[in-house]
Amino acid sequence: MSKKNKQRIRLIIVNLFFILVCFGVLIPILYAFSVSLNAENSLLGANFSFLPKRMTLQNYKAVFTEKPILLWFRNSMILAGTTLVISLGTGIPAAYAFSRKRFPGRKLILKILILLYAFPSLLSMMALYKLLSPMGLINTKTGLIIVYTGTMAVFALWNMKGYFDTIPVEIEEAARIDGATQFRLVTGIVLPLAKPTIAVTAMMILVYVWNEYIFAINFMTGSDTYTLAAGLYSLQATEMSGSWPVFSAASLVVSLPILIVFFALQKNMTTGLTSGGVKG
């Protein structure tokens, strides 16, 4: 067997393996979709099938008519959007400054930030609660935004700094020779080249805030202040009163916005944009 045929067979085997992995990952989603169409309030049965015998769309209707999911969606959108803007608004210039500038205390600050980010956020929950409570920021979106931003701004800085380090300095030097100002250099050259890392960072921030549960359930009380994650938990707070089909339908519905954003940003999640940007 020739070397080319061996490589082709190896490639086919690898592709088949990853196709099977993809199908395996889709099984829980298909199961949730099956439960959401089930007319009975059950998860498993003796004759379980991915296609329920009694199918209904009433569970999806109940999500929008019987549960305040639109209010929870609005709360999550406000928290996610504000956290994203603040985190990127501070993270991008900070990442560029730490990547390109050399100033006293630079390495020490980076080490302190990565050390703080390394600690689990749960360890700081009680301290944050006692800190925000006297200022009246408990059970407010502002308090939760401060908590989220404090975590994700550091993540944005470190995640984007590594990418800024890979952008050749020669590109900026050539732009300066051509008379570009610092503002024009950053906005017209560096940021377009950094689109992949900005897209990935934005996606990670959105996913974190959208799915965050621990702080949301402890810092926000009352169904009118719930985020989607906290609201979904309330649908299944007790096994006796909860409805698994409605819960499954709601879970699928609230995942759609993140999927839409992911596919919208997917074209920017590539690497190698600076390849060939500098002549050898």
Side-chain angles (χ1 to χ4, degrees):
M1 184 180 295
S2 64
K3 184 178 180 180
K4 186 176 182 180
N5 289 334
K6 288 183 179 179
Q7 291 179 345
R8 187 176 300 171
I9 293 174
R10 190 181 297 111
L11 182 61
I12 292 174
I13 293 174
V14 171
N15 288 334
L16 288 176
F17 170 75
F18 283 109
I19 290 173
L20 291 175
V21 170
C22 290
F23 277 114
V25 172
L26 286 175
I27 288 177
I29 300 176
L30 294 175
Y31 174 64
F33 181 67
S34 172
V35 174
S36 70
L37 296 176
N38 198 338
E40 301 176 359
N41 186 12
S42 61
L43 284 177
L44 292 172
N47 299 320
F48 172 75
S49 173
F50 274 104
L51 291 177
K53 294 182 179 179
R54 295 177 55 198
M55 299 178 61
T56 180
L57 295 176
Q58 185 62 32
N59 298 318
Y60 287 92
K61 180 181 178 181
V63 169
F64 294 100
T65 58
E66 300 177 11
K67 309 295 180 182
I69 193 169
L70 294 179
L71 178 60
W72 300 340
F73 178 82
R74 175 177 173 272
N75 293 337
S76 291
M77 283 291 295
I78 294 174
L79 291 172
T82 307
T83 302
L84 176 65
V85 171
I86 297 176
S87 298
L88 290 183
T90 57
I92 292 176
Y96 179 79
F98 278 103
S99 175
R100 290 293 190 262
K101 307 299 180 181
R102 297 296 181 267
F103 49 87
R106 171 180 171 275
K107 291 185 178 180
L108 178 61
I109 295 174
L110 288 174
K111 290 179 180 179
I112 292 175
L113 289 176
I114 195 63
L115 181 63
L116 293 174
Y117 186 74
F119 281 97
S121 57
L122 288 177
L123 297 179
S124 61
M125 179 180 295
M126 186 59 66
L128 287 172
Y129 192 93
K130 290 186 176 180
L131 181 65
L132 297 177
S133 181
M135 294 185 289
L137 295 178
I138 299 299
N139 203 33
T140 65
K141 296 183 180 67
T142 302
L144 210 52
I145 288 171
I146 292 175
V147 174
Y148 290 158
T149 303
T151 301
M152 300 316 295
V154 177
F155 165 77
L157 188 159
W158 266 102
N159 194 54
M160 291 186 290
K161 177 192 174 296
Y163 195 91
F164 283 135
D165 290 340
T166 66
I167 299 177
V169 180
E170 291 82 356
I171 295 179
E172 299 179 47
E173 293 176 348
R176 289 192 183 96
I177 294 175
D178 292 337
T181 63
Q182 184 66 34
F183 180 78
R184 174 60 182 169
L185 189 150
V186 173
T187 58
I189 298 176
V190 177
L191 291 185
L193 291 174
K195 277 185 179 180
T197 189
I198 294 175
V200 171
T201 304
M203 190 68 203
M204 295 295 290
I205 294 173
L206 286 176
V207 170
Y208 170 81
V209 178
W210 203 259
N211 296 328
E212 202 285 321
Y213 160 75
I214 300 298
F215 283 101
I217 201 69
N218 286 282
F219 282 56
M220 306 289 275
T221 58
S223 60
D224 58 333
T225 60
Y226 279 163
T227 62
L228 284 170
L232 285 178
Y233 173 78
S234 70
L235 296 181
Q236 285 303 129
T238 62
E239 295 184 1
M240 299 300 295
S241 62
S243 172
W244 288 111
V246 173
F247 176 80
S248 298
S251 300
L252 294 174
V253 168
V254 301
S255 65
L256 289 178
I258 292 296
L259 287 176
I260 294 173
V261 173
F262 174 80
F263 286 117
L265 297 178
Q266 189 178 22
K267 62 181 180 180
N268 291 321
M269 294 183 182
T270 56
T271 56
L273 292 185
T274 62
S275 176
V278 181
K279 293 183 179 180

